[in-house]
Amino acid sequence: MSGAKLDDYISLAGREVVEEIRDLGEKLRGCSILHINSTAVGGGVAEILCSLVPLMQEAGLAASWVVLEGSPDFFHVTKQFHNGMHGRPVQVTGGMLESYRAAALKNRHLLKKDADLVVLHDQQPLGLAAFREGGAGRWLWYCHVDPQRAVPQVWEVLAPLIAACDAAVFHLPEYARDLPVLQYFMPPAIDPLSEKNREVSPAEYKSVLEKLGVDPGGPPVILQVSRFDRLKDPAGVIQAFKLVRKNRKCRLILAGGGADDDPEGTTVLEEVRALAEGDPDIAIMPLPPAAGLEINVLQRRADVIVQKSLREGFGLTATEALWKGKPLVATPTGGLAQQVIDGITGLAARSVEEAAAQMERLLADPGLSRRLGEAGKEHVRRRFILPVYLRNWLRLLVLLHGRH
Ligand code: UDP
């Protein structure tokens, strides 16, 4: 959360966007909206809600955010669902369904009967839809992943729960599914004024790098920031880096922490550590949850940023990189394809070899890096910053509530 006010965004988003937010907020005054997700820190959803909810409040809505409680067993189940949504084969057992349902039952008290809108973020709180009671409020399921390759075993569990809502929101139109409810499309956004994205003073820059043990000068740095998750392909990043290093001196930083709702993080971190062991040019940097400024500074230090995800709902880490005017190499999958327009706002890479070639191209051509970075930043400013996102949200709410 940046603590910033709507007016603070005028210089970034333009006056018209902020004025439209105020007008829409007036129409929606007092409308209560309850967001439910499964972690307060770590990952894109928590990141978005931290910034979005206070601004919704400032716009006039009675917005609140609660986090459901789950056992390790429940988060193991929902991580399997997450992987299944991304197309990984998953065996869904009766025990898993029982655990999923039991967690929803236990968290039922989080629901507010009089909320005008309940938003269930991702599959973890979706089980609550089974306990929906009558009432005038609308329910929305907000899917933050790319569901195009969802395996039937998982989709068949989730689909009836989605059908119990009034509408579903996806990041992109190509994520539309065959569902009996209305579907809306809205990409997420970064908060340009948060600790993670705000401008950094030279003194802060220097002291954070010192704390992290990163050389402010020296060989160029290639960076990926992500949770330690196989779908972010940290192993592929290391392979690509090793190819680049054959031809030029450079360093790799893989930075990231876990999320409370991701039980696989520790195992993947150990796997990545093993791959990097003994290599003095690779730094594996686990970060605590509140490391916004550290991530900000690392992204500003990097010469090339990579997001080599195998699947990606949207990829806010890519948005953050572009916002810092950095040249980005990304897999053109899901939301990353919206962000990296190959050769214009970044470079696309579909394999380890392509990623290595694109990184080398950028390291060899500072002019290209600068042009891509500038275009990337402008691309984000127009489409993927918080005020634009809030305006899109309010437009949707006006539509749902018929308040014109
Ligand atoms: N993030 C973080 N610390 C970490 C790893 C990630 O704060 O150690 C943040 C990251 O900066 C970004 C968000 O979590 O804002 C990740 O969102 P993204 O859409 O890239 O991926 P997700 O983790 O939701 O799959």
Side-chain angles (χ1 to χ4, degrees):
M1 186 173 50
S2 62
K5 297 285 176 202
L6 276 171
D7 281 349
D8 299 329
Y9 294 92
I10 290 176
S11 62
L12 298 170
R15 189 167 291 279
E16 321 77 71
V17 173
V18 173
E19 277 172 5
E20 188 180 343
I21 290 173
R22 292 204 186 282
D23 287 349
L24 292 167
E26 208 41 59
K27 287 178 184 143
L28 291 161
R29 184 151 294 280
C31 171
S32 58
I33 169 165
L34 172 67
H35 294 275
I36 309 181
N37 83 323
S38 59
T39 175
V41 286
V45 179
E47 191 75 20
I48 293 165
L49 291 174
C50 264
S51 294
L52 180 70
V53 169
L55 278 197
M56 278 188 159
Q57 291 165 345
E58 193 195 334
L61 281 79
S64 54
W65 168 22
V66 294
V67 176
L68 58 73
E69 264 179 49
S71 62
D73 190 39
F74 167 71
F75 286 128
H76 173 74
V77 171
T78 56
K79 181 72 190 194
Q80 296 301 306
F81 286 1
H82 174 87
N83 290 339
M85 286 291 283
H86 279 295
R88 292 243 163 143
V90 172
Q91 188 73 38
V92 179
T93 63
M96 286 166 73
L97 294 177
E98 189 40 48
S99 170
Y100 187 60
R101 196 183 143 77
L105 188 62
K106 198 168 147 227
N107 282 283
R108 211 158 42 141
H109 66 278
L110 296 175
L111 294 168
K112 291 184 192 152
K113 283 208 177 65
D114 53 353
D116 292 311
L117 186 74
V118 175
V119 188
L120 307 173
H121 291 269
D122 275 338
Q123 77 283 354
Q124 297 92 340
L126 182 57
L128 288 166
F131 300 101
R132 182 176 180 182
E133 289 172 1
R138 307 289 176 94
W139 284 46
L140 248 177
W141 180 56
Y142 198 147
C143 175
H144 293 269
V145 302
D146 170 0
Q148 294 177 95
R149 298 175 195 80
V151 296
Q153 294 90 326
V154 170
W155 187 253
E156 280 159 17
V157 174
L158 302 185
L161 296 166
I162 303 166
C165 298
D166 298 292
V169 180
F170 296 94
H171 288 327
L172 307 175
E174 52 264 46
Y175 292 175
R177 302 284 313 206
D178 185 13
L179 286 168
V181 297
L182 288 169
Q183 296 180 56
Y184 298 98
F185 308 99
M186 196 160 65
I190 56 161
D191 181 353
L193 299 179
S194 68
E195 281 295 277
K196 191 171 287 174
N197 297 305
R198 67 170 171 84
E199 294 296 324
V200 170
S201 74
E204 282 175 317
Y205 179 80
K206 191 163 164 277
S207 88
V208 171
L209 284 184
E210 213 165 279
K211 192 179 84 183
L212 295 173
V214 175
D215 189 348
V221 167
I222 297 169
L223 170 75
Q224 176 162 296
V225 176
S226 275
R227 289 179 296 106
F228 287 97
D229 181 324
R230 293 189 190 99
L231 290 172
K232 310 286 183 186
D233 199 17
V237 176
I238 292 178
Q239 285 170 10
F241 166 75
K242 288 184 173 170
L243 292 176
V244 178
R245 194 186 42 186
K246 282 187 180 163
N247 302 324
R248 65 167 58 233
K249 180 104 186 98
C250 53
R251 301 200 66 213
L252 173 68
I253 300 177
L254 286 175
D260 294 346
D261 58 357
D262 179 2
E264 288 177 358
T266 319
T267 317
V268 178
L269 175 59
E270 289 317 314
E271 287 169 10
V272 174
R273 278 203 167 117
L275 288 173
E277 196 166 339
D279 191 325
D281 294 328
I282 304 179
I284 308 296
M285 217 174 268
L287 296 172
L293 187 60
E294 285 79 357
I295 291 174
N296 190 341
V297 167
L298 283 172
Q299 286 166 333
R300 290 177 194 280
R301 167 65 186 89
D303 296 274
V304 171
I305 299 186
V306 56
Q307 194 58 51
K308 216 203 145 302
S309 307
L310 304 172
R311 302 263 187 277
E312 195 63 79
F314 188 73
L316 287 173
T317 47
T319 329
E320 290 157 7
L322 294 176
W323 180 247
K324 278 119 195 161
K326 292 294 168 173
L328 178 69
V329 175
T331 317
T333 180
L336 293 176
Q338 302 287 311
Q339 302 190 64
V340 169
I341 303 164
D342 193 25
I344 298 176
T345 62
L347 296 179
R350 290 177 176 76
S351 64
V352 165
E353 291 72 22
E354 272 185 34
Q358 301 289 48
M359 289 179 204
E360 274 205 75
R361 233 177 113 191
L362 293 170
L363 291 176
D365 189 345
L368 174 66
S369 293
R370 200 174 42 252
R371 282 196 302 282
L372 295 176
E374 280 167 9
K377 180 167 186 178
E378 181 57 11
H379 186 56
V380 168
R381 192 187 68 75
R382 285 169 178 271
R383 292 169 186 81
F384 309 128
I385 57 172
L386 185 62
V388 173
Y389 184 53
L390 174 61
R391 182 199 55 194
N392 294 345
W393 252 112
L394 299 186
R395 283 179 177 172
L396 171 61
L397 292 182
V398 164
L399 212 67
L400 279 173
H401 285 275
R403 295 201 199 181
H404 294 283

